[in-house]
Amino acid sequence: MMNYNGRKFVSIENTENGEVSSQTVFEYKQDGRIISATYSGGEILQGTLIGLVMDDGSLEFRYNHVNSKNELRGGKCISTPTILPDGRIRLYEKWKWHDAEATEGSSIIEEMI
């Protein structure tokens, strides 16, 4: 099982309907299979996520945040890891908003040096 504890990630790509940007930093914690993170930056004033690390290292989690318009937003995400040549983790994410539109998107976040 992959260990995400203490790792920081930043977004490098996101679909237009997403709110995370290259200014958003995620700080992960892990306790066994339980993953959590706080995130902020760019349009995100403050956010949290909680979920599980699967046997293959992928993540399944729920996220909630307050954006710069003071809106409460949230959804679900599945993230698939790859290891970069320098040993850092890159996560390919498929997510869906839990709101009236229920739109979907994809993003890529990458471990910071």
Side-chain angles (χ1 to χ4, degrees), residues 90-105:
R90 178 180 286 166
L91 292 168
Y92 294 88
E93 303 184 316
K94 298 288 184 190
W95 47 264
K96 183 175 182 177
W97 290 111
H98 285 171
D99 58 15
E101 294 179 21
T103 59
E104 299 180 10

Side-chain angles (χ1 to χ4, degrees), residues 24-79:
T24 310
V25 175
F26 295 80
E27 297 185 34
Y28 278 77
K29 293 181 181 176
Q30 184 175 343
D31 183 8
R33 288 191 171 277
I34 300 171
I35 189 84
S36 63
T38 57
Y39 59 101
S40 62
E43 288 186 48
I44 311 297
L45 299 179
Q46 186 172 339
T48 60
L49 64 84
I50 186 135
L52 296 170
V53 181
M54 308 314 286
D55 287 337
D56 63 0
S58 66
L59 305 176
E60 292 187 21
F61 60 84
R62 304 295 184 266
Y63 59 90
N64 288 286
H65 64 249
V66 175
N67 64 22
S68 59
K69 298 174 190 171
N70 285 316
E71 298 170 325
L72 179 61
R73 305 228 36 217
K76 63 181 179 179
C77 182
I78 296 176
S79 297

